[in-house]
């Protein structure tokens, strides 16, 4: 495996880095949920929402415009984030050599260590943590683990601190109580929407992906009792998707034991794919210090926004 011994530095800057960043952004699980994606966010911006109001009116000869625009006093502001990492090559001997040897024996072309580590190890981890920042970010985060959550306030922090959000004091999920808690959050959201005189057509249920597995387990227990796999009282399945009173359950990287119900388009991820400062580097330290180490450098950005928080229901432990 000579390509392991002759590691070439991997550097993406400028256009190449922007393409990598764009690919990561649009391949995020977030991108498929239906949330609003806002590009070219370079500074603090006001978020606007608009809707079509009454369109018909009594006929008159001159053009007499009528319409409606809803403006929300919500803002989005980007935060710069980075990856500074140092690892020893020895730590990846077993995994890298095994994978590349298998590829070679199967007639394929082994990857260089740089490409393997960057694409197969680093990028998936960066994507997961990026989404955790989006949901769980809290600039006041003080725990010893996951310090990266301090870079900006995420959706959950906004829901917990902004006035008007309907909050529910939930309990830690179990197979016996999760169905009732999800159902209660949805009913609360329907009532809340009626008070605010809005439709619930774009409402969804956000839950941690591991909690959704627990939800599936709970539905499985119920289906065994009523001998059906498609109808669970107010719950039903469509392939891998779960619906509660018609609201789709979305798997996310939010905190465990939490439920967020509200209009999906009012959740906003901001970024800047044209930022020339985006860059990704893998540096072989044997060429500089002689250490059998490599360093990872990456620069990126993220912005989190929430429009009309009063339309959301947030259920969490000690909520």
């Amino acid at each position: 495996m000579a390509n392991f011994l002759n590691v070439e530095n991997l550097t993406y800057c400028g256009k190449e880095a922007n393409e990598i960043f764009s690919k990561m952004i649009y391949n995020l699980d977030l991108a498929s949920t239906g949330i609003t994606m806002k590009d070219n966010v370079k500074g603090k911006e006001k978020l606007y929402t608009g809707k079509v109001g009454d369109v018909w009116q009594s006929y008159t000869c001159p053009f007499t415009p009528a319409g409606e625009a809803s403006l929300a006093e919500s803002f989005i502001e980007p935060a710069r984030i980075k990856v500074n990492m140092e690892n020893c090559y020895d730590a990846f001997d077993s995994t890298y050599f095994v994978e590349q040897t298998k590829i070679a024996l199967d007639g394929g072309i082994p990857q260089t260590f740089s490409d393997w580590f960057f694409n197969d190890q680093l990028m998936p981890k960066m994507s997961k943590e990026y989404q955790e920042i989006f949901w769980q970010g809290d600039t006041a985060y003080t725990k010893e683990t996951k310090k990266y959550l301090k870079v900006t306030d995420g959706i959950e922090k906004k829901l917990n601190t902004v006035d008007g959000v309907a909050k529910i004091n939930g309990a830690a999920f179990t197979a016996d109580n999760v169905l009732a808690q999800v159902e209660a959050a949805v009913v609360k959201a329907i009532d809340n929407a009626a008070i605010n005189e809005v439709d619930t057509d774009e409402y969804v249920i956000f839950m941690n992906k591991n909690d959704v597995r627990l939800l599936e387990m709970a539905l499985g227990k119920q289906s065994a009792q009523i001998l059906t796999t498609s109808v669970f009282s107010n719950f039903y399945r469509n392939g891998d998707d779960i619906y509660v009173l018609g609201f789709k359950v979305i798997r996310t990287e939010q905190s465990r034991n939490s439920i967020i119900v509200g209009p999906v388009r009012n959740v906003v991820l901001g970024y800047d794919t044209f930022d020339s400062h985006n860059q990704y580097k893998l540096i072989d330290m044997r060429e500089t210090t002689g250490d059998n180490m490599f360093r990872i450098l990456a620069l990126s950005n993220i912005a989190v926004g929430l429009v009309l928080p009063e339309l959301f229901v947030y259920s969490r432990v000690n909520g």
Side-chain angles (χ1 to χ4, degrees):
M1 305 297 290
N3 59 344
F4 181 84
L5 300 177
N6 299 311
V7 177
E8 296 181 0
N9 289 350
L10 181 148
T11 300
Y12 296 113
C13 293
K15 182 178 180 180
E16 286 182 318
N18 290 336
E19 290 175 352
I20 292 173
F21 177 61
S22 299
K23 182 177 180 181
M24 185 187 80
I25 287 293
Y26 293 110
N27 283 342
L28 290 175
D29 293 339
L30 281 169
S32 62
T33 62
I35 70 168
T36 297
M37 309 280 282
K38 184 174 178 57
D39 199 355
N40 201 29
V41 179
K42 298 183 182 297
K44 190 171 184 177
E45 298 181 9
K46 180 177 286 189
L47 292 174
Y48 297 96
T49 59
K51 66 179 181 179
V52 177
D54 299 330
V55 294
W56 290 106
Q57 57 180 298
S58 177
Y59 173 80
T60 56
C61 185
F63 182 79
T64 52
E68 180 180 356
S70 298
L71 303 183
E73 290 291 326
S74 299
F75 295 87
I76 194 167
E77 185 172 10
R80 297 289 301 281
I81 55 179
K82 69 175 183 176
V83 175
N84 286 165
M85 180 187 301
E86 186 173 68
N87 278 302
C88 179
Y89 285 115
D90 296 344
F92 299 94
D93 278 0
S94 58
T95 51
Y96 173 75
F97 276 123
V98 168
E99 290 183 23
Q100 302 312 307
T101 300
K102 183 178 185 302
I103 291 174
L105 292 175
D106 290 340
I109 300 176
Q111 297 171 287
T112 65
F113 178 82
S114 300
D115 287 335
W116 172 80
F117 185 84
F118 183 78
N119 294 307
D120 297 348
Q121 308 300 313
L122 181 63
M123 291 300 291
K125 180 64 172 176
M126 288 174 63
S127 296
K128 181 178 187 300
E129 291 188 2
Y130 194 92
Q131 295 181 96
E132 287 184 350
I133 292 171
F134 177 80
W135 289 107
Q136 303 180 38
D138 186 343
T139 53
Y141 199 93
T142 57
K143 293 183 180 179
E144 294 181 359
T145 59
K146 295 188 176 181
K147 293 181 179 179
Y148 56 85
L149 294 181
K150 293 181 66 174
V151 299
T152 191
D153 286 341
I155 293 297
E156 292 182 71
K157 173 69 175 292
K158 294 179 183 296
L159 288 171
N160 195 45
T161 56
V162 175
D163 293 334
V165 177
K167 299 183 178 69
I168 295 178
N169 186 15
F173 294 152
T174 67
D176 294 326
N177 70 20
V178 66
L179 296 181
Q181 292 196 68
V182 174
E183 193 172 38
V186 173
V187 171
K188 181 78 171 179
I190 293 174
D191 291 341
N192 196 37
I195 294 172
N196 288 282
E197 298 183 341
V198 297
D199 295 328
T200 59
D201 295 344
E202 293 190 344
Y203 275 46
V204 299
I205 306 163
F206 295 111
M207 294 179 65
N208 181 280
K209 60 184 181 182
N210 293 308
D211 288 335
V212 176
R213 294 191 181 100
L214 184 63
L215 179 64
E216 291 174 329
M217 181 189 303
L219 290 174
K221 290 177 61 177
Q222 188 177 96
S223 68
Q225 297 172 2
I226 61 178
L227 303 178
T228 177
T229 59
S230 59
V231 179
F232 313 91
S233 183
N234 291 326
F235 298 77
Y236 69 90
R237 300 288 299 269
N238 182 11
D240 292 332
D241 295 329
I242 300 174
Y243 293 82
V244 185
L245 293 170
F247 294 3
K248 184 177 180 179
V249 177
I250 303 293
R251 295 167 170 83
T252 74
E253 295 289 351
Q254 70 193 67
S255 300
R256 296 292 304 268
N257 304 305
S258 68
I259 306 168
I260 301 171
V261 187
V264 64
R265 300 297 298 174
N266 288 34
V267 178
V268 184
L269 169 63
Y271 46 89
D272 184 10
T273 57
F274 301 101
D275 189 338
S276 61
H277 294 291
N278 282 336
Q279 56 182 292
Y280 304 91
K281 294 182 180 180
L282 187 151
I283 302 174
D284 186 358
M285 299 308 295
R286 295 177 302 184
E287 298 179 357
T288 54
T289 64
D291 297 324
N292 190 35
M293 310 284 291
F294 64 95
R295 288 182 177 179
I296 298 294
L297 287 78
L299 296 176
S300 190
N301 53 70
I302 187 172
V304 182
L306 192 66
V307 181
L308 299 175
E310 61 270 21
L311 300 182
F312 285 83
V313 171
Y314 182 34
S315 172
R316 68 186 183 101
V317 178
N318 297 322

